Amino acid sequence: MDEMQSLVQLYSLRDKTAVITGAAAGMGLATARRFAEAGANLLLLDVNAELLQTLPEKIRLRHGWMKTVEIDLAQKEEIDAFWHSLRDTEYPDVLINNAGIFPFRDFLETDQEFVQQVMDVNLNAAYWLCQHFVRQRLAVKKSGSIVNVGSIEAQLPFKEDLAHYTTGKAAVIALTRALARDYGRFNIRANVILPGGILTEGVKSASKQVLKDPKLIKDGFYFKSRLPLGRFGDPDEVARVTLMLATDICSYMNGAVIPIDGGFLSA
């Protein structure tokens, strides 16, 4: 019988390298902090250069190293350039596709440029990063773990004026399950989480529009009234599940779609 690993060993990411997109704030920052605690090396990607500069003082490394990268994930050429710039010792064992945008706009008022921008950040960036990641893992014949960030909106559209966002996040679920099917036999796992009702900086910024749009007051009231836990979530509550999926504690989880929503989808 194989010796059973301890929980500490199963949760450890020591000597592992993780790419986390949208890492400068919100769920991305919370995830980076938890991955640092687990001992991972960190490649932290974000479009906000100013916030990236603050990460060294916000994240305490336990082992290894941290590198921040300013990148516009809407531009495939920048994704390609980032990947090709990596040294052999920097290739990731874990990929967290967290970056996303959710601008509100009525479906009938969306145009090609607007929808393309949303899809490039929310879906296409994850697609191309996953492609680079899988190709490299196969080349070195090593295992890997992908955690993509979807949304509860992909399974139950609740907020109006987000058809573009909902469509992209639904596609992220499909992408994740396809990768799980195609590459699980190579021990490359892919899972997707569906956060909902998480108080990130983006959500807080959106809530400030309430005074400009009374309809948002109604939406916020009905959303919270539907939450079985009766409260909004903290980014760290998402980060903990992301960490779990990335580690050997979830070594037999592949293609899973996991809500982190306080019970919203089941209410």
Side-chain angles (χ1 to χ4, degrees):
M1 180 177 177
D2 294 337
E3 183 179 353
M4 185 173 67
Q5 289 183 285
S6 69
L7 284 174
V8 172
Q9 291 172 317
L10 290 170
Y11 272 112
S12 175
L13 288 174
R14 187 166 184 173
D15 298 324
K16 302 288 187 181
T17 299
V19 166
I20 303 173
T21 69
M27 295 184 298
L29 174 57
T31 300
R33 284 171 166 162
R34 287 299 183 181
F35 275 54
E37 187 178 356
N41 302 316
L42 300 175
L43 285 164
L44 306 180
L45 280 55
D46 206 284
V47 71
N48 192 317
E50 184 176 350
L51 285 179
L52 280 174
Q53 292 176 1
T54 69
L55 293 187
E57 63 191 51
K58 293 178 179 177
I59 298 172
R60 184 174 64 181
L61 293 172
R62 294 294 179 91
H63 305 284
W65 47 266
M66 175 174 63
K67 180 179 180 180
T68 60
V69 180
E70 180 186 355
I71 184 172
D72 181 357
L73 291 171
Q75 306 300 320
K76 182 179 182 296
E77 57 269 24
E78 292 196 25
I79 294 173
D80 295 341
F82 157 70
W83 202 270
H84 296 317
S85 73
L86 296 177
R87 302 190 298 269
D88 289 346
T89 56
E90 294 177 327
Y91 282 117
D93 307 275
V94 177
L95 172 62
I96 311 298
N97 282 307
N98 164 78
I101 56 176
F102 53 100
F104 299 124
R105 186 172 296 186
D106 184 282
F107 172 70
L108 297 179
E109 296 178 2
T110 59
D111 55 27
Q112 183 176 4
E113 181 180 1
F114 175 82
V115 173
Q116 188 65 56
Q117 172 72 14
V118 174
M119 292 297 176
D120 282 340
V121 176
N122 292 354
L123 171 61
N124 295 339
Y127 188 100
W128 298 124
L129 281 167
C130 284
Q131 186 185 74
H132 280 297
F133 180 82
V134 171
R135 182 179 287 127
Q136 194 277 330
R137 291 286 89 189
L138 292 176
V140 297
K141 298 181 180 179
K142 290 186 178 180
S143 63
S145 179
I146 298 168
V147 182
N148 290 326
V149 179
S151 170
I152 58 172
E153 287 284 338
Q155 291 199 338
L156 181 63
F158 180 83
K159 177 68 184 73
E160 295 178 2
D161 303 333
L162 283 177
H164 45 280
Y165 175 82
T166 299
T167 301
K169 289 299 185 179
V172 168
I173 297 176
L175 168 65
T176 306
R177 300 185 74 179
L179 296 178
R181 164 63 181 84
D182 290 353
Y183 298 102
R185 64 185 180 276
F186 299 105
N187 204 22
I188 298 172
R189 299 184 297 110
N191 295 286
V192 59
I193 58 174
L194 308 181
I198 309 299
L199 280 178
T200 64
E201 283 81 356
V203 171
K204 292 175 183 177
S205 176
S207 68
K208 293 178 182 178
Q209 300 179 32
V210 167
L211 296 178
K212 302 178 183 178
D213 185 356
K215 184 174 64 174
L216 293 177
I217 299 177
K218 181 190 70 173
D219 291 341
F221 172 79
Y222 283 125
F223 187 92
K224 188 172 183 180
S225 68
R226 184 179 170 135
L227 285 169
L229 287 185
R231 66 174 177 85
F232 291 101
D234 186 87
D236 186 59
E237 293 179 296
V238 177
R240 296 173 216 165
V241 179
T242 306
L243 174 65
M244 177 185 73
L245 289 170
T247 65
D248 286 343
I249 201 77
C250 289
S251 58
Y252 200 57
M253 290 187 69
N254 187 38
V257 182
I258 304 174
I260 311 173
D261 64 350
F264 182 86
L265 289 179
S266 63

